[in-house]
Amino acid sequence: MRRFFPLLVILLAGCAAAPVAVLRPAQQDAPFAFNGRVAVKQGNAHDSAGMRWVHNAAEDEILLLAPLGQTVARIHRDMNGVTLDTSGKHYTAQDMETLMQQALGWQLPLSGLRYWVTALPAPNIESSLERDANGQVETLRQQGWEISYSRYAALASDALPLRLKLHRDGTEVLLLIDEWEAQ
């Protein structure tokens, strides 16, 4: 029994980890957090980064990360507006999309994406949805964007997506979510 005690401790410690969110929150614009990767293609320009996004209705914090985990850019939204810090420079604006385009040369549709990452359309804006046989959103169209969902965390119709591809006017964004965190 003594030989197996360290193994038992390790196994039990693994069970004590924080729960991973796999189902969509019941309310729209509910808090979420995830770690993942993003790749953006605009014409001949390609860019990619790791991503850490913590969201609640009052604010967002998005970290864009280099391959070894260093923060390349920090985007913060609250009721006072949006800031972006990168390479010792500080930018401010009223919306995230304009700020990202000015500072990074590309943009994510963050005002809609905060809903789309949970496979929901942004409220009060016309949209169309196509669902697969499991009832999961397969394609969402809104604000000129077509969002394709190709992988989910579970088979349930309210499971959180793990792979999204966004497309509009020559811009393609691939978002891979490695880990959802319970909020």
Side-chain angles (χ1 to χ4, degrees):
M1 177 72 177
R2 287 188 149 198
R3 288 191 316 196
F4 298 107
F5 184 72
L7 179 60
L8 181 63
V9 169
I10 291 170
L11 289 173
L12 289 175
C15 295
V20 175
V22 294
L23 298 180
R24 185 178 327 121
Q27 68 197 51
Q28 195 165 23
D29 205 21
F32 65 76
F34 69 79
N35 296 310
R37 295 162 282 153
V38 62
V40 179
K41 179 180 174 187
Q42 285 183 318
N44 293 331
H46 298 45
D47 210 349
S48 63
M51 179 184 237
R52 165 94 178 133
W53 189 347
V54 178
H55 166 79
N56 66 54
E59 68 180 323
D60 285 285
E61 180 176 67
I62 301 168
L63 302 178
L64 298 176
L65 308 167
L68 296 177
Q70 314 90 298
T71 300
V72 175
R74 177 186 178 263
I75 304 162
H76 185 260
R77 175 197 64 87
D78 62 19
M79 64 184 201
N80 297 319
V82 185
T83 61
L84 187 147
D85 296 300
T86 183
S87 302
K89 296 179 183 165
H90 181 78
Y91 302 87
T92 61
Q94 286 301 311
D95 68 88
M96 290 194 215
E97 291 83 358
T98 302
L99 187 64
M100 288 185 71
Q101 185 68 45
Q102 289 173 351
L104 302 176
W106 52 272
Q107 62 175 283
L108 295 174
L110 295 172
S111 58
L113 192 57
R114 70 191 229 193
Y115 300 97
W116 303 339
V117 296
T118 60
L120 293 170
N124 306 317
I125 300 172
E126 188 176 326
S127 65
S128 68
L129 294 170
E130 295 173 18
R131 296 184 183 273
D132 65 13
N134 290 333
Q136 295 175 327
V137 176
E138 198 169 52
T139 306
L140 166 62
R141 290 178 188 86
Q142 192 170 40
Q143 295 178 307
W145 287 92
E146 180 174 295
I147 303 98
S148 303
Y149 299 84
S150 58
R151 202 169 90 197
Y152 281 84
L155 292 176
S157 62
D158 59 349
L160 287 166
L162 297 175
R163 183 182 171 101
L164 301 75
K165 186 181 252 185
L166 296 83
H167 182 74
R168 181 175 96 175
D169 299 334
T171 300
E172 190 173 289
V173 178
L174 178 61
L175 180 59
L176 302 172
I177 299 171
D178 298 320
E179 174 186 37
W180 284 98
E181 294 176 13
Q183 292 294 298

